Amino acid sequence: MGDLKELHQEVLDRATPSEDEEQRVMETVERVKSVVSRVGDEMDVEVAPRTVGSVARDTWTSGDRDIDIFMLLPKDLETEEFRKLGLELARKTAEEGDSYVEEFAEHPYITARFGEFDVDIVPCYNVDSYREVTSAVDRTPLHDDYLSERLDPELKDSVRLLKRFMKGIGVYGAEFKVGGFSGYLTELLALNYKSEEKGVSHPSFIESLEKTSRWRYGMEIDIEGHGSSGQFDGALVVVDPVDPNRNVAAALTKKRWAEYISACYTYLKNPSIRYFYPPEPTIHDTDTVKSIIRERDTNLVLIEFERPDVVDDTLYPQLRKTSRWLKSALEEEGFDVIRTDIEGESGVYVLVETQQKKLSSVEKHFGPPVTAKKHSESFLDKYLGEDIHSGPYIEGDRWVVERKKTRRNPEKIIMESLREPERAGVGKDLQDAEITIYKGIESVDIASEFLSRYLVGKPIWLKPKNN
Amino acid sequence: MGDLKELHQEVLDRATPSEDEEQRVMETVERVKSVVSRVGDEMDVEVAPRTVGSVARDTWTSGDRDIDIFMLLPKDLETEEFRKLGLELARKTAEEGDSYVEEFAEHPYITARFGEFDVDIVPCYNVDSYREVTSAVDRTPLHDDYLSERLDPELKDSVRLLKRFMKGIGVYGAEFKVGGFSGYLTELLALNYKSEEKGVSHPSFIESLEKTSRWRYGMEIDIEGHGSSGQFDGALVVVDPVDPNRNVAAALTKKRWAEYISACYTYLKNPSIRYFYPPEPTIHDTDTVKSIIRERDTNLVLIEFERPDVVDDTLYPQLRKTSRWLKSALEEEGFDVIRTDIEGESGVYVLVETQQKKLSSVEKHFGPPVTAKKHSESFLDKYLGEDIHSGPYIEGDRWVVERKKTRRNPEKIIMESLREPERAGVGKDLQDAEITIYKGIESVDIASEFLSRYLVGKPIWLKPKNN
């Protein structure tokens, strides 16, 4: 446990913002808030600027460069008026920064650059209860109020440890690219598993990991005892303390959920700094990647899309949808798909690996049981007149034919699927993107790093035995 | 129906023995019976020679060359004495023929050549009821008695039609090579479906086909109403009228059962002489066979065994067992087996066709669900120290690794399976036989006809649409 204490201290030393860093954040917060107030006065709008999120709650970790400034507007404003005024306030505030972009969620908001920080300037209604909430952003100040009242300094340390842990293992962030744990969810977990056990280093953090390591699918957490968890599905249900009708873990994917649980028990068994601050992943050089691909002797296809002009939260779901669709198109034709992967950073890629390089020309097709006389008669009628390889014959008690298969080449099936008129399974913004298909080692010259990570295919926190 | 009448007449004209053929059979029967009686007198044994089976019942079809002569011995003989005397009687009788071989079923018997006929000379106990039966052969005279009392000339014609039908479609014969319908079973079916409907050509035959075309799995026929059918399993249960504890259809395989049903409804829909007297099967020349194999683009392996010195009833079950075993050995390694086939006539072969010519080197192996903590820990412990391709990673909620596969070649897997020390799945008499393995078109030069039949893979009675 002495080791654990030292390890946690080492993490907190790195994760807790220095006084200097803290001061720079606070200066920026104050600066933006005062701009909002001034602009509000100029526009004669009653607006209360407020910082929310981890900066407000003092649970941010060193290196975070995101600040959320919410502009609370009177709840009696009409929607149209609210949108118009909100956006104008945000725009005028942002103009005082270095640069800005308008973003669209349920309502528009603005991300502005102020020095080293990215400040989200978000208009919302000033509400007192979830019953008055009109969109997700209205709820955020309520979250802040709820947590701020309950976090003490020791719990804040546990939150920082938990956040670093989640960041380190790659499950932190509710955006689509990650599909993991939001900051609010992370803090609720620490609160839920709050512990004051003596002799344990940061007991709420350790308790959280220990309890998580025993989670089952559909685990329910309902801190305020709303009793409303039954209405939600999913691997994890965390009823929002400030809104019984919301599952805080709704955006969590099964994969991240599973990775988090696993990392909890492997960490507890064998603690290491790599869970908080992972080493650089092994990236093989192109020759090594090529020789690994040759050794696998599978069929690897890299599909490169011209990058569409959309944000990550749009791009990633579309890439996932496309890869799922290609997988099922190949499986329908009889391929065994080993794995698929997507990449949206170094390029826009879908990767598909199948066991078979090409299918045989024989497709074994099962017909009705012989005792289904009418169906059998139609089946025989159909296939006795068709150009097939073999049959009809009887296997067990069923009719079988061996049909001639024409779609045997995975690259062709992929290209045809991507080019078919409906393109039902291709993400909307990828449908008209230019597409290039690379096969096997060809693809290494295009996306060596992506392929290298794919081929290792192991979470960075899983320590190999020999180091 | 006029057509049907003509067709049936044509079949009966060919199937009913001519007076001359009949006379030759009867002369042989009388000759063998008189030899048995004389030998019995010489040996001072009380023996009643009797012809049984289709010759006795006048339900044989032209061209049959098998005669059964049973030697009924007193039921108070001790087993040892019965065997000794029975075999001696048979041997001495057979010595008057042209040649003979001793065969072994439950008890030994002899097959002797008398002119153009193969005469089975079989010792049995002279019993009055199934309660006294000691082996299958004791029961045969009871079958004869039962049927002889019930067959009239019209029913005999229906029996001949049914036998020719079953022979034509390849489901006649209870021996292992066929796994079809015995003569006794065939006659019982005709009797069970006996019909005297006016205006129908051979109504018992037609009724039999019509009822059969609607059989379901587990169909029960219990002519004498013994009520004992519940004790039997199988596609078809026919309670022996002379022995409630015997299922006459016990030797019928599911495949022959299914083929018979199907042939019944396709014949009724589209009657043709080919069901009774099938045309010669299409046999492609070797070049055509080779080009078909190339077109299929699968992996075809022919295993040739040195012929062991055993009878068909021993050889065929062993070939089937071996082919089933090789199929499952390949499937266990990840191959998709399209079909297997066996041949015991033109050579001793097992044929195995797989979709894949070779497997990739990646074997995707699913581990425990991540929530099974103990199992997951062992899984990770094992694979983090092993030389694998990729992983461990999480897919859905399960751990997965991609292992390195070494057994990737079907010929090698087959050879290793046939050569492994236990050879548990190889038929006993094939275990030490010399084996040669041929791959793809190589095998055509060895067994072109067998391959040709396999590749057509269609019952001969299924008429192609265009002729």
Side-chain angles (χ1 to χ4, degrees), chain B residues 243-263:
Chain B
D243 187 345
N245 296 316
R246 189 172 165 263
N247 174 15
V248 186
L252 179 65
T253 63
K254 201 169 173 186
K255 188 178 172 66
R256 298 304 174 214
W257 166 82
E259 286 174 346
Y260 179 46
I261 293 173
S262 311

Side-chain angles (χ1 to χ4, degrees), chain A residues 216 255 265 296-297 338-339 355 360-362 364 370-371 376 381 390-391 394 402 408 455 459 465, chain B residues 216 255 265 296-297 338-339 355 360-362 364 370-371 376 381 390-392 394 402 408 455 457 465:
Chain A
R216 290 284 171 267
K255 189 178 171 66
Y265 56 70
R296 290 172 78 91
D297 202 10
I338 299 172
R339 235 191 314 159
Q355 286 287 1
S360 92
S361 153
V362 175
K364 189 170 180 178
V370 295
T371 46
S376 295
D381 198 52
S390 299
I394 293 166
E402 293 171 9
R408 300 164 56 191
L455 293 169
K465 254 190 181 164
Chain B
R216 290 284 171 267
K255 188 178 172 66
Y265 56 70
R296 289 172 78 91
D297 202 10
I338 299 172
R339 233 190 317 158
Q355 287 287 1
S360 92
S361 152
V362 174
K364 189 169 179 178
V370 295
T371 46
S376 295
D381 198 52
S390 298
I394 293 166
E402 293 171 8
R408 301 163 57 190
L455 293 169
K465 255 190 181 164

Side-chain angles (χ1 to χ4, degrees), chain A residues 161-173:
Chain A
L161 285 169
L162 198 53
K163 281 191 180 173
R164 252 337 309 173
F165 184 84
M166 287 181 167
K167 285 182 184 188
I169 65 168
V171 304
Y172 188 80

Side-chain angles (χ1 to χ4, degrees), chain B residues 176-177 302-308 310-327 340-352 418 425-431 433-435 450:
Chain B
F176 278 121
K177 182 179 171 182
L302 179 78
I303 305 123
E304 182 183 30
F305 296 88
E306 172 198 14
R307 184 181 286 280
V310 294
V311 295
D312 280 358
D313 247 23
T314 304
L315 179 64
Y316 280 87
Q318 293 192 10
L319 280 172
R320 284 204 191 95
K321 179 183 177 181
T322 308
S323 80
R324 272 199 305 274
W325 192 53
L326 292 177
K327 178 171 186 277
T340 63
D341 203 355
I342 58 162
E343 165 71 17
E345 212 162 317
S346 64
V348 181
Y349 303 120
V350 171
L351 185 67
V352 182
L418 293 173
V426 183
K428 190 171 155 289
D429 297 293
L430 300 172
Q431 288 183 2
E434 202 174 297
I435 295 165
F450 172 43

Side-chain angles (χ1 to χ4, degrees), chain B residues 282-435:
Chain B
T282 316
I283 299 295
H284 300 299
D285 60 55
T286 55
D287 282 349
T288 308
V289 174
K290 283 180 187 176
S291 88
I292 291 173
I293 289 174
R294 276 194 206 93
E295 202 204 327
R296 289 172 78 91
D297 202 10
T298 58
N299 200 77
L300 204 67
V301 182
L302 179 78
I303 305 123
E304 182 183 30
F305 296 88
E306 172 198 14
R307 184 181 286 280
D309 186 20
V310 294
V311 295
D312 280 358
D313 247 23
T314 304
L315 179 64
Y316 280 87
Q318 293 192 10
L319 280 172
R320 284 204 191 95
K321 179 183 177 181
T322 308
S323 80
R324 272 199 305 274
W325 192 53
L326 292 177
K327 178 171 186 277
S328 71
L330 287 164
E331 285 175 343
E332 229 165 75
E333 293 294 339
F335 284 90
D336 297 305
V337 176
I338 299 172
R339 233 190 317 158
T340 63
D341 203 355
I342 58 162
E343 165 71 17
E345 212 162 317
S346 64
V348 181
Y349 303 120
V350 171
L351 185 67
V352 182
E353 190 179 23
T354 56
Q355 287 287 1
Q356 301 88 348
K357 294 200 176 78
K358 193 185 172 191
L359 295 181
S360 92
S361 152
V362 174
E363 183 189 33
K364 189 169 179 178
H365 174 69
F366 285 85
V370 295
T371 46
K373 194 175 140 186
K374 284 281 161 234
H375 289 116
S376 295
E377 282 172 349
S378 320
F379 184 83
L380 294 174
D381 198 52
K382 174 172 166 61
Y383 286 108
L384 284 172
E386 255 184 40
D387 178 28
I388 57 176
H389 278 303
S390 298
Y393 59 83
I394 293 166
E395 190 174 295
D397 67 344
R398 291 181 71 181
W399 284 107
V400 179
V401 285
E402 293 171 8
R403 298 194 290 206
K404 293 190 174 179
K405 184 152 188 63
T406 48
R407 305 188 80 202
R408 301 163 57 190
N409 177 301
E411 294 76 50
K412 248 179 114 177
I413 292 167
I414 288 170
M415 203 34 128
E416 283 171 19
S417 300
L418 293 173
R419 287 285 173 243
E420 75 172 30
E422 293 100 30
R423 280 168 287 193
V426 183
K428 190 171 155 289
D429 297 293
L430 300 172
Q431 288 183 2
D432 297 313
E434 202 174 297
I435 295 165

Side-chain angles (χ1 to χ4, degrees), chain A residues 384-403:
Chain A
L384 284 172
E386 255 184 39
D387 178 29
I388 58 176
H389 278 302
S390 299
Y393 59 83
I394 293 166
E395 190 174 294
D397 67 345
R398 291 181 71 180
W399 284 107
V400 178
V401 285
E402 293 171 9
R403 299 194 290 208

